[in-house]
Amino acid sequence: RKFVRRHWLPLSAGALLFLIVLASAIGLAWEAAQVEREARTTAAVKDFLLDLFSKADPNANKGKVLTMRDAVDLGAKRLDAIPATEPGLRAELQVVLGMIYSQLSMNQQAYDMEAAALTVLREPGADPMLHAKAARFAAVDKGRLGDFAEAQVLSDEALDIVRRTRNAPVEAWVTALDTANYVAIHRADAAAQKRLSDEAMHVVEGKTISADILADAWGIRADYARKTHDYPTALDFYQRIWKLDTQPQSRVGQGMSLGQTLLDLGRYEEAAHYFNETWDMSRRVFGESDARSLRIGESMAINEAYSNHLREAYAHLKKLLDDARSGAPPREDVVSEIALNCGEMALAFERFDEAEQYFKQTLAFVAAHPNAEMRMQPEAESSLGYAYLLRGDLGTAQSQFEK
């Protein structure tokens, strides 16, 4: 003890050095274990997906051709075979399956997978970026199911995780902002769009990033400009995005946004060019009844109407409505949106009964989904009121306008 008291300084330094070395060794061991766990998880996910897609091979199924839906359903059943000691692996596979279900427009199944993954990923020690991804995907699917209030909660969760994570990848940050922007657009929250736009531009400033991530950030900025009727700025950013080499799935949405901005500016022929190009692309990649193809077709029909091709526009919208209803399963939000536009076209031809049925279909969706897109109800109520007004039913029209 006397020796320790007399030589406390060198001993303390030695002890500190030992603790530093020990901590470094523990840290390296933990990192090595973490890398090993991630490698095992990556390999397991890869094997799972390879097996999943092999299910669609007729040679492996006695000549029976399985659809992607069949293969994904089988994959979901196989989750039960994952050991309880591997909750992280199960959660990651649930996120992957949720993403595939979402691409198949099976949003309820997608959301169920993502919600199950989130029960694990919200626990301490879970991968924060996987947690953010699951919350982001769940927000999009919840919105597509007509509940943008819950979508707001989930998108906020994803963005909060990314903001709190030290050295979070720019890709994770921008995609979380992009999801929050999607929710803000549908909730008519221009103030939120402004904050997200500023943050997105700050996050990518001076960064070397992929074309798709840069397009997402510029898209948030362009969306805010369009929302606030700054069409020249919106057009500038959308045109910059169009020149980037982005993935086909992203390019479909980008072309539609560029066409819609040109439509806003009354440049209908230019708008038609981009709508036609992206519609052809979307139908090749996703199919006729996919929500993306339907929405581009809807924009094309609106552009036709503004170009004084009313009969072509109305016929186009009715065909789109049939395609939307034939989806497996149909996207109710898209069906109700197209029905609303069909009703407004029916009014142009003074087909009041027809218009009324379309508007009531949209209002039935809104009644069943009170947190759906905010603009849909007032637009449908007022359009229905206008139909009654044109028929001379002033009392009912007044009631609708008051709603």
Side-chain angles (χ1 to χ4, degrees):
R1 285 197 299 272
K2 289 180 181 177
F3 180 83
V4 170
R5 282 198 301 271
R6 284 197 301 271
H7 301 281
W8 66 272
L9 185 59
L11 279 175
S12 297
L16 180 61
L17 179 61
F18 172 74
L19 289 173
I20 291 171
V21 171
L22 180 62
S24 298
I26 292 170
L28 287 171
W30 183 87
E31 287 179 10
Q34 180 76 356
V35 168
E36 184 181 352
R37 281 194 298 273
E38 289 177 358
R40 284 202 309 270
T41 300
T42 301
V45 171
K46 179 182 176 183
D47 290 344
F48 184 89
L49 288 175
L50 286 172
D51 183 66
L52 187 69
F53 288 111
S54 73
K55 301 294 185 189
D57 181 2
N59 296 320
N61 293 286
K62 300 178 181 179
K64 181 184 178 184
V65 179
L66 297 183
T67 65
M68 178 59 72
R69 163 74 187 273
D70 294 330
V72 181
D73 286 345
L74 285 171
K77 290 177 182 176
R78 286 189 54 203
L79 291 176
D80 294 333
I82 297 174
T85 54
E86 296 281 359
L89 173 59
R90 182 185 178 91
E92 184 151 359
L93 289 171
Q94 286 169 328
V95 173
V96 171
L97 289 172
M99 180 181 65
I100 299 172
Y101 272 130
S102 187
Q103 291 296 320
L104 295 172
S105 294
M106 300 176 65
N107 302 108
Q108 186 60 60
Q109 291 88 336
Y111 176 75
D112 291 343
M113 281 288 164
E114 292 144 2
L118 284 170
T119 61
V120 172
L121 296 171
R122 286 171 177 144
E123 294 295 324
D127 179 353
M129 293 301 98
L130 183 58
H131 181 179
K133 182 186 286 187
R136 194 161 54 78
F137 288 174
V140 172
D141 285 308
K142 203 64 174 170
R144 288 173 178 171
L145 290 166
D147 188 351
F148 280 99
E150 182 60 23
Q152 177 80 67
V153 173
L154 289 160
S155 68
D156 287 348
E157 179 179 348
L159 193 51
D160 183 57
I161 293 162
V162 174
R163 285 170 174 161
R164 288 189 288 105
T165 300
R166 186 177 180 184
N167 298 323
V170 174
E171 178 180 356
W173 203 319
V174 173
T175 51
L177 288 168
D178 189 46
T179 301
N181 181 57
Y182 158 78
V183 175
I185 289 171
H186 288 277
R187 300 200 80 194
D189 190 345
Q193 281 190 258
K194 172 67 166 64
R195 292 192 300 271
L196 296 165
S197 168
D198 291 344
E199 187 173 353
M201 298 305 289
H202 173 73
V203 167
V204 300
E205 187 177 3
K207 302 290 195 309
T208 301
I209 52 178
S210 71
D212 284 281
I213 295 304
L214 182 59
D216 284 346
W218 284 355
I220 296 169
R221 178 70 185 90
D223 289 343
Y224 173 67
R226 184 167 176 248
K227 175 70 176 178
T228 54
H229 309 292
D230 182 1
Y231 297 122
T233 298
L235 183 61
D236 175 55
F237 273 98
Y238 288 136
Q239 286 175 328
R240 285 199 237 170
I241 292 167
W242 190 250
K243 292 175 183 176
L244 297 173
D245 184 19
T246 56
Q247 296 295 321
Q249 180 172 340
S250 302
R251 199 159 178 79
V252 165
Q254 293 155 4
M256 183 169 73
S257 295
L258 177 52
Q260 287 171 335
T261 305
L262 289 165
L263 190 159
D264 292 333
L265 289 166
R267 292 159 63 172
Y268 305 127
E269 287 188 17
E270 292 173 79
H273 166 76
Y274 290 105
F275 288 142
N276 281 317
E277 185 173 342
T278 52
W279 197 42
D280 288 342
M281 185 190 306
S282 184
R283 288 184 298 169
R284 284 197 310 271
V285 175
F286 305 116
E288 292 271 357
S289 61
D290 183 83
R292 285 155 287 207
S293 301
L294 293 168
R295 283 205 160 112
I296 296 169
E298 189 179 11
S299 294
M300 288 176 67
I302 293 168
N303 193 60
E304 288 165 354
Y306 276 107
S307 304
N308 291 320
H309 301 296
L310 296 179
R311 294 192 183 282
E312 294 90 333
Y314 193 21
H316 193 171
L317 283 168
K318 289 199 285 188
K319 171 66 166 59
L320 289 169
L321 187 56
D322 288 340
D323 289 342
R325 287 170 172 162
S326 69
R331 278 276 301 275
E332 291 182 55
D333 58 331
V334 178
V335 170
S336 62
E337 186 178 302
I338 298 174
L340 176 57
N341 282 308
C342 280
E344 289 172 347
M345 287 303 304
L347 282 184
F349 292 100
E350 298 185 347
R351 297 176 183 174
F352 304 127
D353 292 342
E354 205 171 309
E356 181 179 353
Q357 292 307 309
Y358 285 129
F359 296 141
K360 285 184 174 179
Q361 181 179 341
T362 300
L363 289 169
F365 170 79
V366 172
H369 302 83
N371 292 315
E373 183 169 347
M374 293 186 71
R375 69 168 181 82
M376 197 176 288
Q377 181 173 7
E379 188 172 341
E381 298 281 14
S382 60
S383 295
L384 182 56
Y386 191 53
Y388 289 132
L389 182 65
L390 292 176
R391 277 198 307 210
D393 187 349
L394 303 186
T396 308
Q398 177 74 19
S399 174
Q400 287 300 130
F401 291 139
E402 288 173 355
K403 286 181 185 178

